[in-house]
Amino acid sequence: MVNQTDNIILIGPMGSGKTSTGRILAKEMGFDFIDTDDAIVESTGVSIAYIFDVEGESGFRQREHKTLMKFLGNDKMVIATGGGIITHDKSRAILQDHKRVVYLRTSIEKQIERATISDKRPLLINTDPASKLQELMLTREPLYEEISDIKIDSNEGTPIEIAHEIINRLR
Ligand code: S3P
């Protein structure tokens, strides 16, 4: 059974600050913090790029879904998700039902500034990151907008300021 009471889920594209903001938000609220990407890397012992190579993006999305479900079973969690979680039907349905989903709205320019290319972000390897981020935003933005309960502009402000804004908006 998914806990609807306390857990806060952060969604948004790569480089929207979900991890840095989420970590501070959790600390300020006395919640535990988890990043689904980090949890997957820790439990499998391999990189996200490796999972994409071996199992394809769909394999990764299934792992992401299981990880989301696992942590939603706990209480008082801030969960930072990967930018593509909303493309998976089952994950999207769970997020749609959840009452504390926060979308960190971010411009492509800011994403490029923040989203370092690494084996955590295989979708940005061997391609022009700006066009790829633009392409992803076109299909994903309506989904982020639709399923989120709170929308926050994360272009301006430090992660601390954004975390405080989330706390105010949750009240
Ligand atoms: C992805 C975003 C990444 C990571 C994976 C796929 C995406 O997470 O889950 O590389 O599809 O947008 P961040 O949003 O934390 O960078």
Side-chain angles (χ1 to χ4, degrees), residues 130-145:
S131 356
K132 186 67 191 180
L133 290 169
Q134 187 86 55
E135 176 199 317
L136 293 174
M137 190 60 105
L138 272 180
T139 53
R140 294 176 175 185
E141 190 173 27
L143 303 175
Y144 295 135
E145 291 285 346

Side-chain angles (χ1 to χ4, degrees), residues 37-103:
D37 289 331
D38 293 346
I40 292 168
V41 169
E42 199 177 311
S43 69
T44 57
V46 296
S47 70
I48 292 174
Y50 184 83
I51 298 173
F52 267 65
D53 272 352
V54 175
E55 300 179 351
E57 184 171 344
S58 67
F60 175 73
R61 297 293 167 217
Q62 281 171 42
R63 289 185 182 276
E64 202 173 33
H65 180 70
K66 277 194 198 143
T67 309
L68 175 69
M69 296 309 291
K70 176 176 162 201
F71 289 109
L72 278 177
N74 298 348
D75 204 7
K76 296 192 187 308
M77 303 279 306
V78 173
I79 304 172
T81 58
I85 197 162
I86 41 85
T87 64
H88 185 261
D89 289 352
K90 285 195 200 156
S91 296
R92 196 168 61 252
I94 293 294
L95 295 170
Q96 183 96 61
D97 270 3
H98 196 81
K99 297 287 173 275
R100 297 173 112 190
V101 176
V102 181
Y103 168 30

